[in-house]
Amino acid sequence: MSRHTQVRRITAPEITARKGGDPIVCLTAYTAPVAEILDPHCDLLLVGDSVGMVVHGLPNTVGVTLEMMIMHGQAVMRGSERAMVVVDMPFGSYEGDPKDAFANATRLLKETGAQAVKVEAGPQIAATIAYLVDRGIPVMGHVGLRPQAVNVDGKFRAKGRTQDEREKVMAEAKAADAAGAFAIVVEGVDETLAPEITAAVGVPTIGIGASAQCDGQILVTDDMLGLFDWTPKFVRRYGDIKGAIDKAVSEYAADVRGRRFPAAAETYALRVNSAPQARVARGDKRG
Ligand code: KIV
């Protein structure tokens, strides 16, 4: 990947300053080549812990490790140059002592070069958000449907559909805002609740399964590209990557079985009177 000019990345304060302005475009990214495609279109790339389900085939995000987030964070940083990059703190890496959360967040930022971390934020996490922000780590909150709480909830379930739950989600968002989060992801909530949260907090809300009235939107890229047969109700499919891969691979398999691949143009030919060079071209180092 060539980098002829130094391009400055969008920063956390610049994202915060977009509150109430042009919608903030966000997507998840896990690999360098996909990050490179997304980068010119997005304000923010999230290395989401959804990587555990989307890339590693885990049933939920609970099994995701710090090492996985570091590896994918590094890849996304290599592939992008303009968008702000935020890395999810995986389950178990921030809910205990704020000092441990700081050590883990520091590792994520130092080893990936990303600019911020995201935590699933209830009022009980507010003190940790403040602890991290006070020590130089920008934090994005994540409220509403909190995938890391799947074992408490029993399944991935939309939130804020009862008065009690509305108050809880609102309290999560206000606590993250008061603690210094630079933006807040609002996932899987009643459509009328998201604009209320957006009006109640001073930082941008980034909706997913929330409302078009949020300050920005995010989707899991592989979902919106159509990599899976099933996607949540709130995903709009902008592509059919699964269909494209299926078609390409079935054509490849037929060509291999029919001995139509590789063709002459896809093989190396022996050069007349230059047998050693031909061996080099084939990568045969033994000469
Ligand atoms: O992990 C993730 O991809 C996320 C987004 C769905 C917001 O948290």
Side-chain angles (χ1 to χ4, degrees):
M1 201 168 308
S2 65
R3 293 277 178 272
H4 298 302
T5 49
Q6 190 73 29
V7 182
R8 200 179 63 77
R9 282 183 191 273
I10 296 170
T11 63
E14 284 166 349
I15 293 289
T16 302
R18 299 266 299 266
K19 174 79 184 168
D22 285 345
I24 302 163
V25 180
C26 316
L27 280 172
T28 64
Y30 318 112
T31 65
V34 173
E36 189 170 358
I37 298 168
L38 305 183
D39 189 49
H41 305 284
C42 291
D43 301 306
L44 185 150
L45 296 177
L46 172 69
V47 188
D49 61 356
S50 51
V51 69
M53 301 171 72
V54 172
V55 175
H56 295 270
L58 293 172
N60 53 51
T61 57
V62 173
V64 174
T65 65
L66 208 56
E67 283 66 30
M68 285 161 80
M69 298 313 301
I70 289 170
M71 187 179 70
H72 290 285
Q74 289 169 339
V76 170
M77 286 299 290
R78 282 184 213 118
S80 61
E81 58 182 1
R82 179 189 156 274
M84 174 172 192
V85 175
V86 180
V87 182
D88 256 341
M89 295 198 74
F91 179 64
S93 70
Y94 63 94
E95 300 86 338
D97 192 326
K99 285 186 185 154
D100 295 335
F102 180 72
N104 290 328
T106 302
R107 261 196 85 190
L108 284 172
L109 263 52
K110 272 185 190 284
E111 294 185 33
T112 66
Q115 296 144 282
V117 297
K118 174 165 82 59
V119 299
E120 294 187 8
Q124 72 287 359
I125 301 297
T128 298
I129 295 177
Y131 190 91
L132 297 181
V133 175
D134 284 350
R135 285 159 183 77
I137 299 182
V139 180
M140 189 177 209
H142 181 150
V143 305
L145 193 168
R146 292 191 275 122
Q148 292 175 4
V150 65
N151 287 321
V152 173
D153 290 340
K155 61 177 180 174
F156 297 128
R157 184 174 64 76
K159 292 290 172 78
R161 293 169 121 178
T162 63
Q163 192 52 35
D164 200 35
E165 267 193 2
R166 287 178 86 85
E167 283 164 20
K168 268 195 191 145
V169 179
M170 180 62 87
E172 288 170 3
K174 284 185 173 172
D177 184 30
F182 73 90
I184 302 171
V185 170
V186 180
E187 176 166 1
V189 298
D190 177 87
E191 210 232 339
T192 61
L193 177 58
E196 283 179 25
I197 294 174
T198 300
V201 298
V203 293
T205 53
I206 309 295
I208 171 165
S211 155
Q213 303 314 313
C214 291
D215 297 299
Q217 298 295 326
I218 188 164
L219 283 175
V220 169
T221 298
D222 304 53
D223 282 344
M224 61 86 91
L225 291 179
L227 188 62
F228 305 108
D229 288 328
W230 183 86
T231 50
K233 166 185 163 63
F234 55 77
V235 173
R236 185 179 297 171
R237 283 176 181 244
Y238 288 86
D240 178 23
I241 290 293
K242 183 172 192 269
I245 294 174
D246 194 51
K247 181 171 176 295
V249 175
S250 79
E251 284 170 15
Y252 166 74
D255 284 348
V256 170
R257 292 191 178 109
R259 296 202 185 281
R260 290 183 298 276
F261 177 82
E266 291 147 344
T267 57
Y268 294 103
L270 188 70
R271 287 190 190 141
V272 182
N273 294 332
S274 58
Q277 278 180 12
R279 285 199 292 271
V280 169
R282 281 201 310 267
D284 184 346
K285 295 206 174 63
R286 283 172 300 172

